[in-house]
Amino acid sequence: MAALTIATGTGNWFSALALGVTLLKCLLIPTYHSTDFEVHRNWLAITHSLPISQWYYEATSEWTLDYPPFFAWFEYILSHVAKYFDQEMLNVHNLNYSSSRTLLFQRFSVIFMDVLFVYAVRECCKCIDGKKVGKELTEKPKFILSVLLLWNFGLLIVDHIHFQYNGFLFGLMLLSIARLFQKRHMEGAFLFAVLLHFKHIYLYVAPAYGVYLLRSYCFTANKPDGSIRWKSFSFVRVISLGLVVFLVSALSLGPFLALNQLPQVFSRLFPFKRGLCHAYWAPNFWALYNALDKVLSVIALYFLSLV
């Protein structure tokens, strides 16, 4: 709190927030970590030890590589730093391997990659109109948004205890959103396309991006009442957006297309054959729970309608 007070006086409260949460992340280094710690260690080993032609076939561990190619390359780059910490972590056959140096490397890799998340939050804050605000720092929308994002408790748990790289990925998405607010639509579309090839779960956001870009970028003019001027539709802009998505996808999937491995890659990204509930996460329990929850919600709505 003292650091925040000092930073407020100099106008550097954002830096104080970012530094404070970074120090907290460092304190969380020795805490419990889940099986995802081993998942990412194994992916480091796969991408470092094996040729690209085997990345999406390797199955020594049950934690096979099932993220898109950009994330695989991300692990590959990290692995070339990891070898200076502990070479043994990069052995595909060292299942469930852990050491103090491995722990430090993987924890610090998440903290380091959060630099992108911090930058993206700052860019998002620039998009907020802070003119009509109170004098108190806690009343400033930019301050509130920064606290909610940088100190997101769920993100701290999932990334820095459980162990994942969601901060880095959310950074890509937030930076993409910031670019859209800044009317830099092509950059926003490019960043989101890159994000999809890092983690395909973000596909659920794609329809919203498509509608927004169609409305705000592909239609170049509005009527005085704010409605769409249909004749202003630009095919050139649609083609340019499509070209951005195509080029990013070609860069990501091109090597596997050349190796005739796209079906194998997609089978890892969308593992329908193993069932939508992962066998390692008690699917029977969760399937029964979800079904019961749905039945109870329908029954509750029915009786509420009778009241």
Side-chain angles (χ1 to χ4, degrees):
M1 183 61 70
L4 180 59
T5 303
I6 294 172
T8 302
T10 60
N12 292 324
W13 54 263
F14 184 88
S15 299
L17 287 175
L19 178 60
V21 76
T22 301
L23 293 176
L24 175 60
K25 292 170 185 177
C26 291
L27 291 176
L28 295 175
I29 286 175
T31 55
Y32 151 85
H33 56 79
S34 76
T35 50
D36 272 337
F37 184 87
E38 168 61 14
V39 171
H40 288 280
R41 185 214 61 80
N42 184 55
W43 293 358
L44 287 171
I46 289 173
T47 56
H48 185 83
S49 305
L50 301 175
I52 184 175
S53 60
Q54 297 182 33
W55 286 2
Y56 286 94
Y57 282 96
E58 166 59 34
T60 300
S61 168
E62 59 186 352
W63 312 117
T64 54
L65 180 59
D66 57 8
Y67 272 27
F70 278 175
F71 202 94
W73 286 111
F74 168 69
E75 295 279 7
Y76 173 79
I77 294 170
L78 285 181
S79 72
H80 284 277
V81 180
K83 67 183 180 182
Y84 295 107
F85 283 75
D86 188 348
Q87 186 72 32
E88 289 302 309
M89 79 171 84
L90 303 176
N91 187 334
V92 174
H93 300 285
N94 277 352
L95 302 183
N96 299 308
Y97 179 82
S98 182
S99 68
S100 59
R101 287 175 293 178
T102 301
L103 175 68
L104 285 174
F105 169 75
Q106 292 198 222
R107 290 294 196 194
F108 276 121
S109 68
V110 179
I111 294 172
F112 178 78
M113 292 310 301
D114 277 354
V115 170
L116 177 62
F117 179 65
V118 173
Y119 173 70
V121 171
R122 191 174 185 87
E123 289 298 298
C124 285
C125 288
K126 291 179 180 178
C127 301
I128 297 178
D129 183 7
K131 295 179 180 179
K132 298 180 179 180
V133 296
K135 295 181 179 180
E136 296 294 328
L137 177 63
T138 54
E139 296 178 1
K140 297 180 181 293
K142 293 183 178 182
F143 176 79
I144 295 171
L145 179 63
S146 298
V147 172
L148 291 175
L149 292 176
L150 294 176
W151 287 79
N152 185 289
F153 190 61
L155 196 58
L156 288 172
I157 291 175
V158 173
D159 275 20
H160 301 280
I161 298 178
H162 176 84
F163 191 85
Q164 285 189 27
Y165 290 91
N166 289 302
F168 163 61
L169 298 171
F170 275 126
L172 277 173
M173 188 172 74
L174 289 175
L175 188 57
S176 172
I177 292 172
R179 295 298 181 247
L180 295 182
F181 272 99
Q182 295 163 1
K183 305 301 181 183
R184 296 157 66 174
H185 297 93
M186 291 295 287
E187 287 183 48
F190 170 78
L191 289 168
F192 184 70
V194 169
L195 174 63
L196 287 180
H197 287 274
F198 266 97
K199 192 169 184 177
H200 54 303
I201 196 174
Y202 287 95
L203 277 170
Y204 72 90
V205 190
Y209 265 83
V211 171
Y212 180 84
L213 287 168
L214 183 67
R215 173 65 179 85
S216 63
Y217 182 67
C218 296
F219 286 96
T220 59
N222 296 325
K223 295 179 181 179
D225 61 358
S227 59
I228 295 174
R229 193 179 296 278
W230 296 99
K231 292 182 179 180
S232 68
F233 184 76
S234 172
F235 285 101
V236 173
R237 292 193 173 189
V238 172
I239 294 172
S240 64
L241 287 174
L243 188 61
V244 165
V245 174
F246 172 78
L247 291 176
V248 171
S249 300
L251 182 62
S252 171
L253 301 173
F256 301 96
L257 178 62
L259 292 168
N260 198 28
Q261 291 185 1
L262 276 187
Q264 176 63 19
V265 173
F266 287 134
S267 70
R268 285 286 182 86
L269 300 184
F270 305 98
F272 294 107
K273 290 183 179 179
R274 77 178 183 196
L276 295 179
C277 288
H278 199 306
Y280 311 126
W281 302 118
N284 293 329
F285 171 78
W286 290 113
L288 292 172
Y289 169 81
N290 289 332
L292 179 62
D293 182 68
K294 181 64 177 178
V295 170
L296 291 176
S297 66
V298 171
I299 293 174
L301 290 173
Y302 172 75
F303 282 106
L304 286 174
S305 67
L306 297 178
V307 176

